[in-house]
Amino acid sequence: MAAWDLLFRRVHLATFAGSEPYGTLRDGALAVRAGRIVWLGAERDLPREARAAQEIDGAGGWLLPGLIDCHTHLVHAGNRAREFELRLQGASYEEIARAGGGIRATVAATRAADEAALVAASRPRLARLMAEGVTTVEIKSGYGLELSAERRMLRAARALGETAPVRVTTTFLGAHALPPEYDGRADAYIAEVCDVMLPALYREGLVDAVDAFCERIAFSPAQTEAVFRAARALGLPVRLHAEQLSDSGGAALAARHGALCADHLEHLSEAGAAALAAAGSVAVLLPGAFYFLRETHLPPVARLRALGVPIAIATDCNPGTSPLSSLLLALNMACVLFRLAPAEALAGVTRNAARALGRGDDLGTLEAGKLADLGLWNVDTPAELCYHLGYNPLALRVFGGQISGA
Ligand code: NIG
Ligand code: FE
């Protein structure tokens, strides 16, 4: 029989395929050839003639799909520690944003940075995610808010993916905030986003999906819809920052446009949850932002669960509301703050995160035919990935069939 490149033996598999929550396959083995999973099953069922160029003794650890962080603003310049101090003295995120701070502060810092500076500032954040077994990261623009600066952000995101063993998917978030030069002219800015920025960046191959921030301090449902129409006209999938601070009906709007996902959702209504369920959109929950803003209004997890809406978890890594570059900590927060079961949280950074990126066909589960992005963990149960605080039990990281880390 044809030789395999890599064979894991003496491992337990959490496949996240099938109906059991972890997709557990104890005492398993998994084989990789040409960057893909080609065989998995019980070790005792390994074909007798099985041969691999490299065998790995998992020593009873757990093998999981490579982790996927499906919502980040990882590329940006500067930080907002000063704003953090102000908020601790009582100022709210909305007050700071309305006074010209918030997202606009990061826009000023990001506009002042060239592409190399953005890559240099962002690489350590990406490295921290990768060190925890992350193999796919979504990265948004949205701190440029003008064509050239949005381009630099997206080019920096692509460059990060091309120079490290990690998959980067890019999202154009031109409709993140109103840039100061458009004060009082939000519709004109949205027209610029739809008619100039998006088509240009799309033609340059820099855009995999399109996002917007639908909120009273950002853009209205009508303005968001204009962005969605422009994206759909180019054949690009859409997603939305929805219902983070208030219920603007963003999730239902996103669902009407067949969105891959709607994200945040603390203030999601019954109707919004039902719309996501009907559309098959993923609910991406961002416990880091909930924690960092000291939010108290919980996303309706029980409702989403009852409706069968797939739930994903992400870091939302950004300088304002979630300066978090640990997906393991996001998992813990999802369990402790949002009451997700560890199996649900882990499905949220594997199977459902892949789906939120439109990559469910080739990523997110351990199944024959899928890309061999894997993490071997030195734990007794997968729930330990959610349980520890500030401890990283990654033993080995595999990207596209290549051992690349830990
Ligand atoms: O996902 N909600 C909008 N965007 C980001 C925060 C951006 C910022 O404050 O810089 C978020 O929370
Ligand atoms: Fe975000």
Side-chain angles (χ1 to χ4, degrees):
M1 73 179 292
W4 292 328
D5 298 332
L6 195 58
L7 172 62
F8 285 89
R9 316 181 78 124
R10 291 219 303 150
V11 283
H12 305 301
L13 307 178
T15 66
F16 296 97
S19 54
E20 190 266 331
Y22 292 101
T24 301
L25 216 166
R26 284 191 165 272
D27 301 312
L30 181 143
V32 172
R33 183 154 46 97
R36 294 200 178 254
I37 299 168
V38 290
W39 189 94
L40 76 170
E43 183 160 6
R44 64 172 181 279
D45 294 336
L46 264 178
R48 281 177 139 274
E49 65 280 20
R51 294 287 175 277
Q54 189 175 10
E55 282 201 12
I56 299 197
D57 178 356
W62 281 82
L63 195 62
L64 270 74
L67 305 187
I68 298 172
D69 193 350
C70 68
H71 179 142
T72 86
H73 308 251
L74 184 121
V75 168
H76 59 262
N79 71 69
R80 305 234 291 276
R82 176 64 193 140
E83 190 179 304
F84 178 56
E85 291 182 309
L86 293 174
R87 281 197 301 101
L88 290 173
Q89 288 162 20
S92 76
Y93 181 66
E94 284 194 60
E95 283 162 4
I96 290 168
R98 288 186 198 286
I103 294 173
R104 280 188 178 185
T106 301
V107 169
T110 301
R111 284 180 173 180
D114 63 16
E115 189 186 317
L118 287 176
V119 169
S122 306
R123 187 170 272 139
R125 290 187 279 270
L126 180 61
R128 288 195 289 273
L129 291 175
M130 291 168 61
E132 290 186 344
V134 170
T135 48
T136 298
V137 183
E138 182 259 14
I139 300 179
K140 302 176 197 297
S141 70
Y143 291 123
L145 310 184
E146 65 189 8
L147 179 57
S148 60
E150 289 287 299
R151 177 187 288 124
R152 282 201 302 282
M153 288 189 73
L154 293 169
R155 287 175 57 101
R158 285 276 192 252
L160 287 165
E162 283 156 12
T163 53
V166 64
R167 294 175 213 287
V168 169
T169 76
T170 58
T171 301
F172 173 62
L173 177 55
H176 192 197
L178 191 62
E181 60 274 18
Y182 276 91
D183 262 337
R185 297 187 299 131
D187 285 337
Y189 178 64
I190 289 295
E192 174 80 8
V193 164
C194 296
D195 302 340
V196 180
M197 293 161 73
L198 175 57
L201 298 169
Y202 167 74
R203 274 195 304 274
E204 294 168 32
L206 291 170
V207 182
D208 298 329
V210 175
D211 196 348
F213 187 16
C214 183
E215 190 57 68
R216 55 193 178 206
I217 57 165
F219 297 101
S220 69
Q223 289 161 343
T224 301
E225 182 147 38
V227 175
F228 283 175
R229 285 191 198 287
R232 300 305 292 149
L234 295 171
L236 287 168
V238 298
R239 56 187 298 167
L240 189 64
H241 283 71
E243 275 67 283
Q244 180 184 15
L245 308 171
S246 62
D247 178 14
S248 313
L253 172 64
R256 278 204 298 285
H257 288 267
L260 289 171
C261 56
D263 305 39
H264 285 287
L265 303 176
E266 280 85 341
H267 295 267
L268 180 66
S269 66
E270 284 272 332
L276 292 179
S281 304
V282 175
V284 179
L285 305 184
L286 305 168
F290 177 90
Y291 164 82
F292 198 70
L293 293 179
R294 299 175 60 97
E295 281 287 345
T296 51
H297 201 288
L298 285 159
V301 168
R303 194 77 207 120
L304 292 168
R305 197 184 273 139
L307 289 166
V309 177
I311 295 174
I313 301 297
T315 61
D316 195 15
C317 176
N318 78 72
T321 66
S322 190
L324 172 63
S325 47
S326 168
L327 194 55
L328 293 179
L329 185 52
L331 284 172
N332 178 269
M333 289 177 170
C335 297
V336 174
L337 299 174
F338 294 168
R339 301 274 178 102
L340 262 68
E344 290 178 308
L346 284 164
V349 296
T350 53
R351 183 183 64 231
N352 295 342
R355 188 164 156 180
L357 298 179
R359 297 294 302 269
D361 288 346
D362 58 356
L363 294 171
T365 62
L366 301 184
E367 290 177 278
K370 289 215 171 174
L371 289 165
D373 290 359
L374 313 166
L376 177 65
W377 299 86
N378 185 17
V379 291
D380 295 328
T381 69
E384 270 189 63
L385 271 65
C386 305
Y387 158 80
H388 293 286
L389 283 167
Y391 169 60
N392 175 7
L394 184 70
L396 196 73
R397 178 183 182 277
V398 174
F399 175 74
Q402 304 288 321
I403 293 173
S404 58

mmCIF file of all heavy atoms in Angstrom, residues 221-254:
data_model
loop_
_atom_site.group_PDB
_atom_site.id
_atom_site.type_symbol
_atom_site.label_atom_id
_atom_site.label_comp_id
_atom_site.label_asym_id
_atom_site.label_seq_id
_atom_site.Cartn_x
_atom_site.Cartn_y
_atom_site.Cartn_z
ATOM 1 N N PRO A 221 -28.920 49.829 10.196
ATOM 2 C CA PRO A 221 -29.268 48.660 9.381
ATOM 3 C C PRO A 221 -29.302 48.989 7.887
ATOM 4 O O PRO A 221 -28.838 48.193 7.058
ATOM 5 C CB PRO A 221 -30.641 48.260 9.914
ATOM 6 C CG PRO A 221 -30.624 48.702 11.350
ATOM 7 C CD PRO A 221 -29.846 49.991 11.347
ATOM 8 N N ALA A 222 -29.812 50.160 7.507
ATOM 9 C CA ALA A 222 -29.880 50.503 6.077
ATOM 10 C C ALA A 222 -28.474 50.638 5.491
ATOM 11 O O ALA A 222 -28.198 50.171 4.373
ATOM 12 C CB ALA A 222 -30.669 51.806 5.896
ATOM 13 N N GLN A 223 -27.577 51.268 6.244
ATOM 14 C CA GLN A 223 -26.193 51.424 5.748
ATOM 15 C C GLN A 223 -25.497 50.055 5.689
ATOM 16 O O GLN A 223 -24.764 49.757 4.737
ATOM 17 C CB GLN A 223 -25.426 52.383 6.672
ATOM 18 C CG GLN A 223 -25.920 53.819 6.518
ATOM 19 C CD GLN A 223 -25.554 54.735 7.681
ATOM 20 O OE1 GLN A 223 -25.193 54.266 8.775
ATOM 21 N NE2 GLN A 223 -25.650 56.039 7.460
ATOM 22 N N THR A 224 -25.773 49.234 6.684
ATOM 23 C CA THR A 224 -25.202 47.882 6.680
ATOM 24 C C THR A 224 -25.699 47.105 5.467
ATOM 25 O O THR A 224 -24.931 46.394 4.803
ATOM 26 C CB THR A 224 -25.605 47.158 7.983
ATOM 27 O OG1 THR A 224 -25.108 47.908 9.091
ATOM 28 C CG2 THR A 224 -25.071 45.747 8.025
ATOM 29 N N GLU A 225 -26.977 47.259 5.173
ATOM 30 C CA GLU A 225 -27.555 46.526 4.047
ATOM 31 C C GLU A 225 -26.905 46.941 2.728
ATOM 32 O O GLU A 225 -26.676 46.097 1.850
ATOM 33 C CB GLU A 225 -29.070 46.751 3.993
ATOM 34 C CG GLU A 225 -29.740 45.986 2.872
ATOM 35 C CD GLU A 225 -31.148 45.545 3.239
ATOM 36 O OE1 GLU A 225 -31.850 46.335 3.908
ATOM 37 O OE2 GLU A 225 -31.533 44.426 2.843
ATOM 38 N N ALA A 226 -26.573 48.219 2.609
ATOM 39 C CA ALA A 226 -25.901 48.686 1.381
ATOM 40 C C ALA A 226 -24.558 47.968 1.228
ATOM 41 O O ALA A 226 -24.179 47.544 0.123
ATOM 42 C CB ALA A 226 -25.712 50.204 1.438
ATOM 43 N N VAL A 227 -23.842 47.808 2.337
ATOM 44 C CA VAL A 227 -22.545 47.111 2.283
ATOM 45 C C VAL A 227 -22.757 45.642 1.886
ATOM 46 O O VAL A 227 -22.029 45.095 1.053
ATOM 47 C CB VAL A 227 -21.827 47.203 3.653
ATOM 48 C CG1 VAL A 227 -20.544 46.375 3.658
ATOM 49 C CG2 VAL A 227 -21.529 48.660 3.998
ATOM 50 N N PHE A 228 -23.775 45.031 2.458
ATOM 51 C CA PHE A 228 -24.058 43.628 2.133
ATOM 52 C C PHE A 228 -24.387 43.465 0.646
ATOM 53 O O PHE A 228 -23.942 42.515 0.000
ATOM 54 C CB PHE A 228 -25.223 43.111 2.976
ATOM 55 C CG PHE A 228 -24.863 42.773 4.399
ATOM 56 C CD1 PHE A 228 -25.844 42.385 5.302
ATOM 57 C CD2 PHE A 228 -23.553 42.820 4.853
ATOM 58 C CE1 PHE A 228 -25.526 42.052 6.615
ATOM 59 C CE2 PHE A 228 -23.218 42.497 6.166
ATOM 60 C CZ PHE A 228 -24.215 42.116 7.038
ATOM 61 N N ARG A 229 -25.183 44.383 0.111
ATOM 62 C CA ARG A 229 -25.544 44.277 -1.318
ATOM 63 C C ARG A 229 -24.300 44.392 -2.196
ATOM 64 O O ARG A 229 -24.151 43.651 -3.169
ATOM 65 C CB ARG A 229 -26.537 45.388 -1.692
ATOM 66 C CG ARG A 229 -27.939 45.145 -1.190
ATOM 67 C CD ARG A 229 -28.922 46.154 -1.820
ATOM 68 N NE ARG A 229 -30.144 46.226 -1.060
ATOM 69 C CZ ARG A 229 -31.079 45.271 -1.040
ATOM 70 N NH1 ARG A 229 -30.926 44.185 -1.763
ATOM 71 N NH2 ARG A 229 -32.161 45.412 -0.301
ATOM 72 N N ALA A 230 -23.423 45.308 -1.827
ATOM 73 C CA ALA A 230 -22.194 45.473 -2.621
ATOM 74 C C ALA A 230 -21.344 44.203 -2.546
ATOM 75 O O ALA A 230 -20.758 43.766 -3.549
ATOM 76 C CB ALA A 230 -21.411 46.684 -2.104
ATOM 77 N N ALA A 231 -21.284 43.611 -1.378
ATOM 78 C CA ALA A 231 -20.492 42.387 -1.217
ATOM 79 C C ALA A 231 -21.103 41.247 -2.015
ATOM 80 O O ALA A 231 -20.395 40.525 -2.745
ATOM 81 C CB ALA A 231 -20.423 42.008 0.269
ATOM 82 N N ARG A 232 -22.405 41.074 -1.890
ATOM 83 C CA ARG A 232 -23.069 39.966 -2.575
ATOM 84 C C ARG A 232 -22.954 40.127 -4.097
ATOM 85 O O ARG A 232 -22.860 39.140 -4.828
ATOM 86 C CB ARG A 232 -24.539 39.848 -2.153
ATOM 87 C CG ARG A 232 -24.767 39.600 -0.669
ATOM 88 C CD ARG A 232 -24.038 38.392 -0.120
ATOM 89 N NE ARG A 232 -24.574 37.142 -0.644
ATOM 90 C CZ ARG A 232 -23.861 36.039 -0.839
ATOM 91 N NH1 ARG A 232 -22.570 36.030 -0.561
ATOM 92 N NH2 ARG A 232 -24.430 34.950 -1.299
ATOM 93 N N ALA A 233 -22.973 41.381 -4.554
ATOM 94 C CA ALA A 233 -22.836 41.622 -6.007
ATOM 95 C C ALA A 233 -21.483 41.115 -6.513
ATOM 96 O O ALA A 233 -21.352 40.740 -7.680
ATOM 97 C CB ALA A 233 -23.004 43.116 -6.312
ATOM 98 N N LEU A 234 -20.488 41.107 -5.645
ATOM 99 C CA LEU A 234 -19.166 40.593 -6.031
ATOM 100 C C LEU A 234 -19.034 39.103 -5.710
ATOM 101 O O LEU A 234 -17.974 38.512 -5.915
ATOM 102 C CB LEU A 234 -18.062 41.373 -5.292
ATOM 103 C CG LEU A 234 -17.947 42.865 -5.640
ATOM 104 C CD1 LEU A 234 -16.977 43.560 -4.689
ATOM 105 C CD2 LEU A 234 -17.506 43.053 -7.084
ATOM 106 N N GLY A 235 -20.106 38.522 -5.161
ATOM 107 C CA GLY A 235 -20.059 37.102 -4.809
ATOM 108 C C GLY A 235 -19.339 36.829 -3.501
ATOM 109 O O GLY A 235 -18.947 35.685 -3.235
ATOM 110 N N LEU A 236 -19.159 37.868 -2.676
ATOM 111 C CA LEU A 236 -18.432 37.688 -1.412
ATOM 112 C C LEU A 236 -19.391 37.368 -0.269
ATOM 113 O O LEU A 236 -20.459 37.976 -0.162
ATOM 114 C CB LEU A 236 -17.661 38.971 -1.065
ATOM 115 C CG LEU A 236 -16.432 39.240 -1.921
ATOM 116 C CD1 LEU A 236 -15.926 40.665 -1.686
ATOM 117 C CD2 LEU A 236 -15.323 38.235 -1.596
ATOM 118 N N PRO A 237 -19.020 36.443 0.612
ATOM 119 C CA PRO A 237 -19.861 36.156 1.785
ATOM 120 C C PRO A 237 -19.818 37.314 2.781
ATOM 121 O O PRO A 237 -18.833 38.053 2.849
ATOM 122 C CB PRO A 237 -19.213 34.894 2.381
ATOM 123 C CG PRO A 237 -17.821 34.882 1.889
ATOM 124 C CD PRO A 237 -17.800 35.610 0.563
ATOM 125 N N VAL A 238 -20.898 37.446 3.548
ATOM 126 C CA VAL A 238 -20.969 38.529 4.534
ATOM 127 C C VAL A 238 -21.106 37.974 5.943
ATOM 128 O O VAL A 238 -21.489 36.815 6.150
ATOM 129 C CB VAL A 238 -22.147 39.490 4.236
ATOM 130 C CG1 VAL A 238 -21.964 40.146 2.877
ATOM 131 C CG2 VAL A 238 -23.494 38.765 4.321
ATOM 132 N N ARG A 239 -20.785 38.821 6.912
ATOM 133 C CA ARG A 239 -20.918 38.535 8.331
ATOM 134 C C ARG A 239 -21.101 39.876 9.033
ATOM 135 O O ARG A 239 -20.929 40.928 8.400
ATOM 136 C CB ARG A 239 -19.686 37.797 8.846
ATOM 137 C CG ARG A 239 -18.376 38.545 8.590
ATOM 138 C CD ARG A 239 -17.161 37.713 8.961
ATOM 139 N NE ARG A 239 -17.180 37.409 10.388
ATOM 140 C CZ ARG A 239 -16.385 36.493 10.962
ATOM 141 N NH1 ARG A 239 -15.520 35.824 10.234
ATOM 142 N NH2 ARG A 239 -16.445 36.263 12.260
ATOM 143 N N LEU A 240 -21.437 39.873 10.313
ATOM 144 C CA LEU A 240 -21.777 41.161 10.938
ATOM 145 C C LEU A 240 -21.445 41.201 12.416
ATOM 146 O O LEU A 240 -21.670 40.237 13.148
ATOM 147 C CB LEU A 240 -23.290 41.424 10.750
ATOM 148 C CG LEU A 240 -23.799 42.813 11.155
ATOM 149 C CD1 LEU A 240 -23.181 43.893 10.281
ATOM 150 C CD2 LEU A 240 -25.319 42.877 11.070
ATOM 151 N N HIS A 241 -20.908 42.373 12.878
ATOM 152 C CA HIS A 241 -20.875 42.704 14.305
ATOM 153 C C HIS A 241 -22.294 43.141 14.657
ATOM 154 O O HIS A 241 -22.720 44.240 14.276
ATOM 155 C CB HIS A 241 -19.922 43.860 14.569
ATOM 156 C CG HIS A 241 -18.467 43.503 14.560
ATOM 157 N ND1 HIS A 241 -17.779 43.171 13.429
ATOM 158 C CD2 HIS A 241 -17.571 43.444 15.580
ATOM 159 C CE1 HIS A 241 -16.520 42.923 13.749
ATOM 160 N NE2 HIS A 241 -16.357 43.083 15.047
ATOM 161 N N ALA A 242 -23.017 42.299 15.368
ATOM 162 C CA ALA A 242 -24.445 42.555 15.572
ATOM 163 C C ALA A 242 -24.813 42.449 17.046
ATOM 164 O O ALA A 242 -24.329 41.565 17.763
ATOM 165 C CB ALA A 242 -25.266 41.537 14.778
ATOM 166 N N GLU A 243 -25.689 43.353 17.471
ATOM 167 C CA GLU A 243 -26.293 43.248 18.817
ATOM 168 C C GLU A 243 -25.240 43.177 19.924
ATOM 169 O O GLU A 243 -25.408 42.471 20.904
ATOM 170 C CB GLU A 243 -27.193 41.988 18.875
ATOM 171 C CG GLU A 243 -28.608 42.147 18.386
ATOM 172 C CD GLU A 243 -28.802 42.407 16.893
ATOM 173 O OE1 GLU A 243 -28.556 43.575 16.493
ATOM 174 O OE2 GLU A 243 -29.239 41.512 16.150
ATOM 175 N N GLN A 244 -24.145 43.946 19.778
ATOM 176 C CA GLN A 244 -23.120 43.949 20.835
ATOM 177 C C GLN A 244 -23.540 44.839 22.006
ATOM 178 O O GLN A 244 -23.434 44.440 23.157
ATOM 179 C CB GLN A 244 -21.769 44.421 20.286
ATOM 180 C CG GLN A 244 -20.668 44.441 21.361
ATOM 181 C CD GLN A 244 -19.337 45.004 20.873
ATOM 182 O OE1 GLN A 244 -19.259 45.640 19.824
ATOM 183 N NE2 GLN A 244 -18.289 44.768 21.638
ATOM 184 N N LEU A 245 -23.984 46.058 21.696
ATOM 185 C CA LEU A 245 -24.312 47.031 22.753
ATOM 186 C C LEU A 245 -25.811 47.249 22.868
ATOM 187 O O LEU A 245 -26.296 47.725 23.890
ATOM 188 C CB LEU A 245 -23.599 48.362 22.469
ATOM 189 C CG LEU A 245 -22.081 48.265 22.214
ATOM 190 C CD1 LEU A 245 -21.526 49.605 21.719
ATOM 191 C CD2 LEU A 245 -21.333 47.823 23.475
ATOM 192 N N SER A 246 -26.536 46.953 21.787
ATOM 193 C CA SER A 246 -27.993 47.142 21.786
ATOM 194 C C SER A 246 -28.577 46.253 20.690
ATOM 195 O O SER A 246 -27.835 45.707 19.868
ATOM 196 C CB SER A 246 -28.331 48.609 21.483
ATOM 197 O OG SER A 246 -27.851 48.961 20.191
ATOM 198 N N ASP A 247 -29.904 46.121 20.690
ATOM 199 C CA ASP A 247 -30.557 45.309 19.653
ATOM 200 C C ASP A 247 -30.941 46.203 18.480
ATOM 201 O O ASP A 247 -31.905 46.939 18.544
ATOM 202 C CB ASP A 247 -31.794 44.615 20.238
ATOM 203 C CG ASP A 247 -32.532 43.792 19.186
ATOM 204 O OD1 ASP A 247 -31.946 43.556 18.097
ATOM 205 O OD2 ASP A 247 -33.676 43.391 19.450
ATOM 206 N N SER A 248 -30.140 46.129 17.409
ATOM 207 C CA SER A 248 -30.416 46.925 16.211
ATOM 208 C C SER A 248 -31.065 46.085 15.118
ATOM 209 O O SER A 248 -31.228 46.556 13.998
ATOM 210 C CB SER A 248 -29.121 47.522 15.647
ATOM 211 O OG SER A 248 -28.345 48.111 16.648
ATOM 212 N N GLY A 249 -31.350 44.839 15.391
ATOM 213 C CA GLY A 249 -31.903 43.966 14.355
ATOM 214 C C GLY A 249 -30.849 43.509 13.357
ATOM 215 O O GLY A 249 -31.164 43.049 12.259
ATOM 216 N N GLY A 250 -29.594 43.621 13.736
ATOM 217 C CA GLY A 250 -28.511 43.275 12.810
ATOM 218 C C GLY A 250 -28.462 41.795 12.463
ATOM 219 O O GLY A 250 -28.176 41.425 11.318
ATOM 220 N N ALA A 251 -28.734 40.947 13.442
ATOM 221 C CA ALA A 251 -28.634 39.501 13.174
ATOM 222 C C ALA A 251 -29.664 39.075 12.132
ATOM 223 O O ALA A 251 -29.353 38.310 11.208
ATOM 224 C CB ALA A 251 -28.819 38.713 14.470
ATOM 225 N N ALA A 252 -30.892 39.591 12.257
ATOM 226 C CA ALA A 252 -31.921 39.233 11.274
ATOM 227 C C ALA A 252 -31.551 39.764 9.893
ATOM 228 O O ALA A 252 -31.759 39.085 8.876
ATOM 229 C CB ALA A 252 -33.277 39.783 11.719
ATOM 230 N N LEU A 253 -30.977 40.960 9.870
ATOM 231 C CA LEU A 253 -30.529 41.528 8.600
ATOM 232 C C LEU A 253 -29.440 40.646 7.979
ATOM 233 O O LEU A 253 -29.475 40.325 6.784
ATOM 234 C CB LEU A 253 -30.001 42.945 8.853
ATOM 235 C CG LEU A 253 -29.316 43.653 7.694
ATOM 236 C CD1 LEU A 253 -30.296 43.888 6.555
ATOM 237 C CD2 LEU A 253 -28.734 44.995 8.168
ATOM 238 N N ALA A 254 -28.479 40.255 8.813
ATOM 239 C CA ALA A 254 -27.401 39.387 8.322
ATOM 240 C C ALA A 254 -27.986 38.074 7.795
ATOM 241 O O ALA A 254 -27.609 37.589 6.722
ATOM 242 C CB ALA A 254 -26.399 39.113 9.441
#
